[in-house]
Amino acid sequence: MQALWAADGAGGGGGLPARLAAPSMTFDRSVPPVVAVVVTCRPGPWLEESLRAVGGQDYPNLSVLVVDAGGADDRDAGEILARRVAAACPTAYIRRAAGTPGFAAGANEVIGLVKGASHYLICHDDAAPDPDALRALVEEAFRSNAGIVASKLVDWDRPERLLSVGAGIDRLGNLEGLVERGELDQGQHDTPGDVFVAPGGAVLVRADLFDALGGFDPTLPSGGEDLDLCWRALVAGARVRVAPAARTRHLEARDCGLPDGPEARLVEDRSRWPTLLTCASPATLSWLLPLGLLVSGGEAIAALATGRAGHASKVVGAALGPWRRPVRLWRSRRRTQRRRSVHDHRLRRLQVKGSGRFRSWLARRDELARSDELARRDKPAVPS
């Protein structure tokens, strides 16, 4: 079995090895072949550590593909990246995508590029899996016949603190983590199980499933591709699991200058709405759409009442955004519903009850209150 890497320049630069090598590789037939796809876009100093972790897996049948999803038109930046990849993971191959397509389109470069792979390990460039993480992910995928398997994500600098063990959603598609913010990892979430979302970092996806679904939706805002891919996979009948034995250190988005708090929620909304409209069945959508519009309208009114007109405008814009491109929405929905093999009522067992957004707001309010209380305690007393 061979993995054939494109070398014709398609996609902006062809498959270029970080070292001199033939444009094909031979997979070990005795172990399912896995291709780790590390998508990078002008990476920071963490890249080398991430690549060493991915390339240092104890899995015997692993190939590494680094996709340059940013700066491919900058020759100097591309050469610098190639040297960094060669130094950290000499056996890796580099694929340079055209322009700066972002994570989703960058990960999709693997489609049609590799033949014979059993699974793809889709990695961020700021994720460092433990040496045995891939082995645990593959074992769980075959044990439970899962299409997508998430690893346990822990903090990059403080690996004793949990970031996620998969995620759930409420009825309206609002993400809800299954661990508390800053929760210590004491083995309390170490049982594998079904989840609705496999948060990005280091996620194992069955290659034929990823190819059939067309990969991630590159039209969604960055950060929304995980929910969309997992929801479409569930509708098609695949299982999404978490394998806590596969631990991955992950540098969170807020450490990379991406939005957090209310702004992050707005980014989620801009991807949540098109995903909801694409994946929900007609019967579900008949009551879910009015409810979602009612909730967004209420949030917008509350924002106006507190003098946050800009926030109100963004909430309404997120809800109405998908309708501005009706043809795209209709095509996406038609592709997804044609693959449907599972009714929505079977997926509701993976969804959390109530409003995940409201619980998130309460948790954030309590966190801010605790921070204010600690600040008051630490404030030096003013002598009278």
Side-chain angles (χ1 to χ4, degrees), residues 111-257:
I111 299 176
L113 189 66
V114 175
K115 295 180 181 178
S118 169
H119 291 78
Y120 304 138
L121 178 67
I122 310 294
C123 299
H124 292 185
D125 65 8
D126 61 351
D130 285 355
D132 60 349
L134 177 56
R135 184 185 295 272
L137 289 170
V138 173
E139 288 175 354
E140 179 58 31
F142 280 94
R143 187 188 69 81
S144 60
N145 192 27
I148 301 176
V149 187
S151 57
K152 174 168 68 176
L153 299 181
V154 297
D155 189 88
W156 179 272
D157 294 314
R158 297 178 297 176
E160 73 279 2
R161 295 189 179 275
L162 289 167
L163 297 181
S164 83
V165 285
I169 64 168
D170 63 14
R171 295 291 190 268
L172 294 175
N174 292 295
L175 282 170
E176 180 163 349
L178 304 180
V179 299
E180 295 182 5
R181 192 181 183 93
E183 183 177 345
L184 292 176
D185 183 10
Q186 299 175 319
Q188 67 273 35
H189 298 288
D190 280 1
T191 301
D194 289 282
V195 294
F196 204 99
V197 183
V203 177
L204 189 75
V205 186
R206 212 174 63 219
D208 62 339
L209 174 66
F210 192 77
D211 296 350
L213 294 176
F216 294 111
D217 184 348
T219 66
L220 297 176
S222 179
E225 62 274 350
D226 303 321
L227 169 61
D228 177 77
L229 179 70
C230 291
W231 203 333
R232 286 188 288 125
L234 288 166
V235 167
R239 296 182 74 180
V240 180
R241 298 276 290 180
V242 61
R247 194 185 74 152
T248 298
R249 294 165 49 235
H250 192 211
L251 187 64
E252 287 187 284
R254 65 173 184 272
D255 297 326
C256 303

Side-chain angles (χ1 to χ4, degrees), residues 281-320:
S281 69
T284 300
L285 207 56
S286 66
W287 63 269
L288 206 56
L289 179 58
L291 176 61
L293 292 174
L294 181 64
V295 171
S296 292
E299 183 177 352
I301 292 172
L304 286 173
T306 55
R308 296 180 295 147
H311 182 82
S313 176
K314 292 177 181 177
V315 170
V316 174
L320 299 181

